[in-house]
Amino acid sequence: MTLPGITVADSKARYILVMGVSGAGKSTIGKALADKIGGCFVEADDFHPAENIRRMSDREPLTDAHRWPWLQAVAESAIIAMERTGGPVVIACSALKRSYRDVLRQMLSPLFIIHLSGPMELIRARLAERQTHFMPVELLDSQLATLEPPQADEKGAALSIDGSQAQIVARAVQLVGPGPAEEA
C-alpha cells in the first residue's frame, strides 16, 4: 500500500530504506531487492556496537542514546557504498521512529522508505524460529510500542509481509523501479 500522496514516480531514490520491526523481513527482502535492482545492500545490524547487542540479547530495549551513534554509522556506510558503486543503496534498518528516519534522511537523500508490516502472529512466529539472531521475541512488544509508521510527507510505501519472498520483492521493485540491468 502506498502512503497517501506518494506515487511510484516519487520513488526514484538513490537510497532505499527497508524498515520495520524485528522479524518483518528487512534483511531478507532488502538483500533480495538490492540484488534484483543491481544495488548495494547495507545491513544495519552489522553496525550495532557490542554494548547494543549485549543489551538486546539481555532483553533490554535500546534507548535513543544507544541508537544515535548506530544510525550515524549506518548512514556513513551507505554513503561509502554509494561513492563506491553509484547506487542504488538498499538499507535494512528498523528505523522505528520518525526521528531515526529523519537522521537517515538528512544524510541520505533522496531516501525512499519501504515499511514492511504484517500480522503480529506471523512476526512472533518468525522471531521464535530464529536461532542465531541477538533480538529476542520478548522485545517485539517494545518495538511495537516504539513504532511510528511513516507519514504521508515521508516518501515511501507500506508493504505487507503476507506472501512469498518473491512476491514481496516484486512489489518492492514495482515501487522503486527497475535497476540499471533491468532497464537495458
Side-chain angles (χ1 to χ4, degrees):
M1 167 179 183
T2 303
L3 296 169
I6 303 301
T7 64
V8 176
D10 292 331
S11 69
K12 280 295 185 185
R14 296 167 12 131
Y15 298 99
I16 301 160
L17 171 64
V18 179
M19 65 154 291
V21 297
S22 188
K26 298 178 298 291
S27 300
T28 301
I29 298 304
K31 176 76 173 105
L33 176 60
D35 289 346
K36 187 78 171 165
I37 64 174
C40 281
F41 177 68
V42 172
E43 172 58 68
D45 282 349
D46 293 344
F47 298 92
H48 273 298
E51 179 63 17
N52 284 9
I53 293 172
R54 184 203 59 78
R55 285 178 180 280
M56 289 183 281
S57 296
D58 289 345
R59 293 164 174 71
E60 293 178 42
L62 298 180
T63 66
D64 287 353
H66 298 120
R67 287 187 178 96
W68 298 133
W70 168 64
L71 290 167
Q72 179 85 23
V74 169
E76 289 170 358
S77 176
I79 290 167
I80 291 168
M82 179 64 70
E83 289 171 351
R84 263 193 259 140
T85 67
V89 177
V90 178
I91 306 144
C93 180
S94 54
L96 298 176
K97 287 186 179 180
R98 168 74 183 245
S99 59
Y100 306 159
R101 295 188 298 275
D102 288 345
V103 166
L104 295 173
R105 197 174 6 263
Q106 288 169 3
M107 296 181 70
L108 310 173
S109 184
L111 180 69
F112 186 77
I113 301 167
I114 296 175
H115 176 205
L116 299 178
S117 62
M120 289 309 107
E121 303 78 33
L122 175 58
I123 293 171
R124 280 188 201 286
R126 288 179 176 183
L127 286 172
E129 290 174 5
R130 297 199 302 196
Q131 301 299 313
T132 59
H133 198 273
F134 55 81
M135 180 70 173
V137 69
E138 292 86 356
L139 289 181
L140 179 58
D141 289 336
S142 72
Q143 285 208 328
L144 292 169
T146 301
L147 177 62
E148 298 171 0
Q151 300 301 302
D153 64 331
E154 297 183 83
K155 292 185 179 183
L159 282 184
S160 172
I161 61 171
D162 285 329
S164 70
Q165 174 183 326
Q167 291 168 326
I168 298 165
V169 171
R171 290 191 305 253
V173 169
Q174 288 176 331
L175 291 167
V176 300
E182 292 181 343
E183 290 175 340

